[in-house]
Amino acid sequence: EFLIWNRHLILGLELQQYVTVAERGIKSIELHPSQPTLYLFTGFALYILQKEERAIMVLNKGLNYVVNNRLLKAEFYSYLGDAYNSIEEHEMSDQSYENSLALAPENSVVLNNYSYYLSLRSKDLEKAEILSKKCLEFSPEEATYQDTYGWILFKLGRYEESETWIHKA
């Protein structure tokens, strides 16, 4: 039953049993190849296990089965952004984050990750600042997001502002 496999993979993720989720996720996809969440959970587990290229393949395939579900599609693009970034496929990473934000513009995790990765590459720092500031609008007390904003301000040479945000974080 699909629902049992789906719940099994969710429990595995909750228990951080990523090897099990990756292995059983592949099996569940073989049994239920048109169910996108199975691809999402399996792709995420593969990414965590640093099997990024395999994760990208699984996530891209699963994306084809997402119909009329913007938030689910946005999650696929979010994980693709992370995986592509890990293997330094920056254009694909940036495009994946853009796709995710087009579908779910208030996703703080994507806003933070995308802005942080841009800042690490010193690319589009003004855009990174805008994304990070927007992230803080949605999650103003999150220390990780405050830290990212402070880092971006530092990269922009705005040291006093940066120091304020780093201390706040």
Side-chain angles (χ1 to χ4, degrees):
E1 292 284 327
F2 159 71
L3 291 176
I4 294 171
W5 279 105
N6 197 62
R7 186 65 190 144
H8 180 68
L9 296 181
I10 290 169
L11 288 172
L13 291 173
E14 289 174 358
L15 296 171
Q16 299 179 352
Q17 296 175 343
Y18 302 116
V19 172
T20 301
V21 171
E23 291 170 355
R24 294 188 180 158
I26 298 299
K27 178 67 175 169
S28 71
I29 289 168
E30 290 172 5
L31 296 169
H32 304 281
S34 64
Q35 297 296 330
T37 55
L38 302 176
Y39 293 88
L40 184 71
F41 303 148
T42 304
F44 177 76
L46 289 165
Y47 166 71
I48 294 296
L49 295 170
Q50 298 179 329
K51 297 180 180 187
E52 291 91 347
E53 291 183 11
R54 178 76 191 233
I56 289 166
M57 186 189 74
V58 168
L59 291 166
N60 275 317
K61 188 168 183 181
L63 196 53
N64 294 319
Y65 296 105
V66 180
V67 180
N68 297 326
N69 190 331
R70 293 174 51 121
L71 294 179
L72 182 59
K73 191 173 264 196
E75 283 298 306
F76 271 91
Y77 283 123
S78 171
Y79 295 151
L80 282 166
D82 294 342
Y84 280 123
N85 184 72
S86 289
I87 61 170
E88 299 185 14
E89 290 282 342
H90 300 301
E91 281 186 37
M92 294 299 292
S93 175
D94 293 352
Q95 186 58 57
S96 296
Y97 288 134
E98 290 287 342
N99 291 342
S100 183
L101 289 173
L103 296 164
E106 297 179 5
N107 187 323
S108 295
V109 173
V110 175
L111 289 164
N112 184 69
N113 288 357
Y114 187 20
S115 62
Y116 180 68
Y117 293 141
L118 286 173
S119 72
L120 287 180
R121 298 183 321 220
S122 297
K123 181 182 178 204
D124 296 328
L125 290 173
E126 291 77 17
K127 179 178 186 166
E129 179 189 9
I130 291 166
L131 293 170
S132 184
K133 194 171 192 175
K134 186 175 182 182
C135 175
L136 284 169
E137 289 172 14
F138 300 124
S139 303
E141 300 303 318
E142 180 62 46
T144 301
Y145 302 160
Q146 294 169 350
D147 181 65
T148 296
Y149 188 62
W151 168 248
I152 292 167
L153 293 173
F154 178 82
K155 295 285 281 193
L156 287 166
R158 293 164 44 194
Y159 303 120
E160 288 181 31
E161 283 179 89
S162 171
E163 186 175 18
T164 299
W165 281 96
I166 298 296
H167 284 299
K168 190 173 185 177

